[in-house]
Amino acid sequence: MLRDIGKSRCVTRDCTRRNMAAPMKFARLSCQTQIKSFCAFSCNKKNLNGIHKARFIHNDHNGGEYDVAVIGGGIVGMATAREMKVRHPNLLFIVLEKEKEISHHQSGHNSGVIHAGIYYTPGSLKAKLCVQGVELLYDYCDKNNIPYNKCGKLIVAVEKEEIPRLEGLLERGNQNGVKDLRMLGPKEIKEIEPNCEGLKAVHSPHTGIIDYKVVTQSYGQTFEKLGGHVYTDFEVTDFSVTKESGHGIDYPVTIRGSGEGKASSREVKCKYVVTCGGLFSDRLAELSGCNREPRIVPFRGDYLLLKPEKTNLVNGNIYPVPNPLFPFLGVHFTPRINGDVWLGPNAVLAFKREGYRLTDFSATDAKDAVSFRGLRKLAMRNLGFGIKEMYRGFNIAAQVKLLQRYVPSLKVSDVTRGPSGVRAQALDRDGNLVDDFVFDVGVGELGSRILHVRNAPSPAATSSLAIAKMSTHGNDMSNNKSNGYSSNGSLVVETHHHFLDELYKMMVKDVYDGGRNRDSKVVEFKHPKELEALMDLGLNKETSDDNLLKICQDIIKYSVKTGNPHFFNQLWSGLDDYSLGGAWLTEVLNTSVYTYEVSPVFTLMEKTLIEKMLNLIGFKDGDAIFTPGGSMANMYALNVARYKRFPDVKKTGLYGLPKLCVLTSEKGHYSIKKGMAFLGLGLDNLVNVKADSKGKMDVQDLEDKILQLQSESKVPYFVNATAGTTVYGAYDPLDKIADICQKYGLWMHVDGAWGGSALLSKKYRGLMKGIDRVDSMTWNPHKMMGSPLQTAAFFTRHKNLLPPCHSANAAYLFQQDKFYDVSYDTGDKSIQCGRKNDSLKLWLMWKAKGDQGFERDIDNLFECSRYLANLVKERDGFELVIEPECTNVCFWYIPASMRDQTRDADWWERLGKVAPKIKEGMTKAGTMLIGYQPDEEHVNFFRMIITNLEILKSDMDFVVNEIDRLGKNL
């Protein structure tokens, strides 16, 4: 937002647009493990009191010129102001707060829970900002001595009907990257909460409690220490364009306000504005010309309190399985940082936006709420819910009865009435709850300079630092849309890099966000001649930036969205925040990884990755090189193995060599054929070994073929096994093949380009048993690990083989008298000269996820494949070709018209036409892409590849339903 303030104009976004786009998946949670005890709270009491007493009152409210004004002194506003001042210490910032102190309303009237990020839709702003924000918040509290208690949370199912929803929550939390979630049974529930009863529960150990008023005051103190200004008693009443006199053109926004005291009229001028108005966010947006919707409707929540002698009934947070219609409803037990325990709340319409008592009333607020058609529609649809919530507000016994479902020993006599809070619930005009965070930027000279935080409900407090970072300088989420409203997270200031800026926004909006939306098309298919006519592909005339951007838009429109979770066509798909960032950074730095002097960082990164992956394989003192694809890595294996057996081949060539032969599975990848031709070994000398009914190499046939070749005076020197075959995903029996290779002195290579990533999973690593015994391996992280194309490497257990095999000792690159350690000049291990850096994108991804993050991803892919296989077995008209071993699921779809017919040759011939026809239908509709092919005696079947790290089991349901929809009438 703050780049080039004062010399650039603001890029605007129309806040009235209502286009829908997909939420994103991703995020990672890495909370600290330190637990603050209640003893620590006592130790920090002095500090705590000091923060509570901090006042931010300034008498001079009239005049003043600032770079940025933040409206609202709640936790989001103060976090944003602090972040901006930290990042831009030389700019002038002011916070305008209508009350006499900051954190007076929602920030000081909430349950104080630090949420871990379980509930929120994967890919939504809530999910991403919460899992980022909780890490930032714990770190901030540790550095600033703010007490918290990481007491954990149980989400408890008390009825069988709730268990599927609870399991869905666990899956959702794992997708969001929430750390250390576990599903518990009744006995384990009791171990954590002795007084709690439940059938099952999800345990979140990193959920905590804190006093958010203390946090907000701390943000404010930091902001002021850095030179920021906070004006309290300043209620904003108007935004206007500053008249062009004096400094008007430099400070184009005038903010007027009112307040108590002798200076009842206030005025501030600034360049940009960020509004964080909470319960008044819609009215502030309207003042700048934005649409009132989403409208804020206030809902009051009344809590009960456990009596002091009963607070030992619970140890941590106890929550219900949320109702999907009203995820914010449901009674829960919430310990407080001061030792209290809050119970509840209910949710009833408040007749005053900041009305914390039943009797609080504002005619303006009440009229505003009841006249809004969205509230009326919501009320009519959910009249029963509303009446029950009101009843529980009046009747303590009714509230306690709900709480007793979780803690049966709780009695009415154990509780008293407690405090209340008001939730700023955003609604659209059709009565739909706007659940995700929403940000708007207006249009025109005034509106384009004002960023509105329109909807920031729970977990906004947890996410406050992450929201602040996004609002201040934007990130990959800045063009999300949610619930039909713009959720642009930052006010971007245009620089002289117009083409790059606009292209970046286009890529994020239309590819990264839009392309990953499950409701968007995977492809907008056009036939070649049609597409050629639609695209401006000529290269004759100079083209303007605007026209280039239009062409880029067409490129995006007609390209396959391989990041879409419904793209299952290839052995790679999906997009990851970190690896994509690494790919972009790689292109900007644009260097070649052959010498340390031109690629110091990437040389060390590649070394780190190689050591890590060699260790996973079991090559304790091996070597490796990143290659342009798995096919090239397999060719490396053929060449290096030949060099080891016949080192003179490098000098004398093929002349004088015996007739060398290579053995590979008949189900192996075709790159071995290409390698045989490329290296001059000849296709006639490639011997196919039979595979069994599961697609695995037949070990007996392997030995028979070796003996046969030897009897013909041929020299078999190389065996290629596969870990995850291309079609069936079969894993060859590596241990048994290694025995044969050892027996006959043959080099054993494993093409693990596809299935090698099973090494990252404790559960599925056994598929690679024997990998530590082989001579070399190909591994493509751009496949199952989700790194962008292309990321591939060749690994060998033989330490000093790659350099002598491939070196050319180019004197202009690999001088031996350099001033640094020339062993870091790795270029001569490669058959290339210039070699693209493929390490950064994988390194960033691994650094972000860690081993556990990758293990969760790999396990999820395998589990989704098993889930799909079971669906296929259970669903009429679907039939497995082979039981999956990797994450390939191969199956036929049999239309209803063919299901009761005799399976003769004619029937199979007709079935072979079904998959191509359905593929045509899905491609033209753009709903998904799945590959198909025949295999020997098997007619065309679907080969479903599960490799996108965002895949959910619900996507498997979609696949089955969509194929059935497209094929049922064939």
Side-chain angles (χ1 to χ4, degrees), residues 10 85 183 240 398 439 480 488 843 923 963:
C10 180
K85 190 61 180 171
M183 182 68 78
S240 63
F439 303 81
N480 256 15
N488 178 25
W843 184 91
T923 304
I963 288 177

Side-chain angles (χ1 to χ4, degrees), residues 609-621:
L609 284 167
I610 284 171
E611 289 172 353
K612 176 75 173 178
M613 298 170 82
L614 284 170
N615 185 59
L616 285 167
I617 297 167
F619 295 168
K620 300 303 181 185
D621 192 30

Side-chain angles (χ1 to χ4, degrees), residues 231-245:
Y231 283 1
T232 56
D233 194 24
F234 191 119
E235 182 171 1
V236 174
T237 58
D238 182 57
F239 299 108
S240 63
V241 177
T242 305
K243 295 179 181 178
E244 292 192 17
S245 60

Side-chain angles (χ1 to χ4, degrees), residues 445-472:
E445 189 177 0
L446 176 66
S448 63
R449 292 183 172 269
I450 305 177
L451 168 66
H452 298 285
V453 181
R454 294 292 300 266
N455 189 43
S458 177
T462 302
S463 310
S464 56
L465 291 171
I467 292 173
K469 285 181 180 295
M470 187 177 75
S471 299
T472 301

Side-chain angles (χ1 to χ4, degrees), residues 385-581:
F385 274 106
I387 293 172
K388 288 178 183 177
E389 290 297 302
M390 293 175 63
Y391 177 68
R392 289 198 294 114
F394 289 109
N395 191 319
I396 291 180
Q399 186 90 315
V400 169
K401 186 176 180 181
L402 278 181
L403 292 159
Q404 286 171 336
R405 301 176 71 207
Y406 307 95
V407 180
S409 58
L410 180 70
K411 300 175 183 176
V412 175
S413 59
D414 296 335
V415 304
T416 60
R417 289 197 179 276
S420 298
V422 178
R423 176 186 176 92
Q425 178 59 58
L427 287 179
D428 68 16
R429 62 187 294 103
D430 294 320
N432 300 311
L433 305 179
V434 180
D435 189 49
D436 204 357
F437 298 143
V438 177
F439 303 81
D440 269 349
V441 177
V443 294
E445 189 177 0
L446 176 66
S448 63
R449 292 183 172 269
I450 305 177
L451 168 66
H452 298 285
V453 181
R454 294 292 300 266
N455 189 43
S458 177
T462 302
S463 310
S464 56
L465 291 171
I467 292 173
K469 285 181 180 295
M470 187 177 75
S471 299
T472 301
H473 48 85
N475 61 15
D476 63 314
M477 295 170 288
S478 64
N479 288 296
N480 256 15
K481 294 184 183 294
S482 175
N483 298 294
Y485 297 98
S486 166
S487 55
N488 178 25
S490 61
L491 193 60
V492 181
V493 178
E494 187 174 4
T495 70
H496 63 281
H497 305 295
H498 170 69
F499 176 77
L500 287 178
D501 288 343
E502 293 303 310
L503 181 59
Y504 167 78
K505 287 186 285 185
M506 187 188 300
M507 288 190 296
V508 172
K509 173 178 173 289
D510 296 331
V511 183
Y512 194 79
D513 292 346
R516 302 193 317 167
N517 180 357
R518 286 172 168 82
D519 294 328
S520 67
K521 284 188 173 185
V522 177
V523 60
E524 184 74 41
F525 180 80
K526 300 293 179 185
H527 287 284
K529 291 299 181 182
E530 286 181 277
L531 186 56
E532 198 170 20
L534 288 168
M535 296 291 296
D536 181 2
L537 299 174
L539 294 173
N540 297 322
K541 297 180 180 179
E542 184 178 351
T543 305
S544 69
D545 283 3
D546 287 342
N547 194 41
L548 284 173
L549 288 169
K550 182 184 181 303
I551 293 170
C552 289
Q553 191 73 63
D554 288 339
I555 292 170
I556 292 170
K557 179 178 180 181
Y558 297 115
S559 292
V560 177
K561 310 307 184 295
T562 61
N564 192 298
H566 295 158
F567 175 81
F568 307 104
N569 212 66
Q570 316 299 146
L571 295 174
W572 43 264
S573 70
L575 290 170
D576 170 86
D577 295 35
Y578 306 106
S579 59
L580 181 60

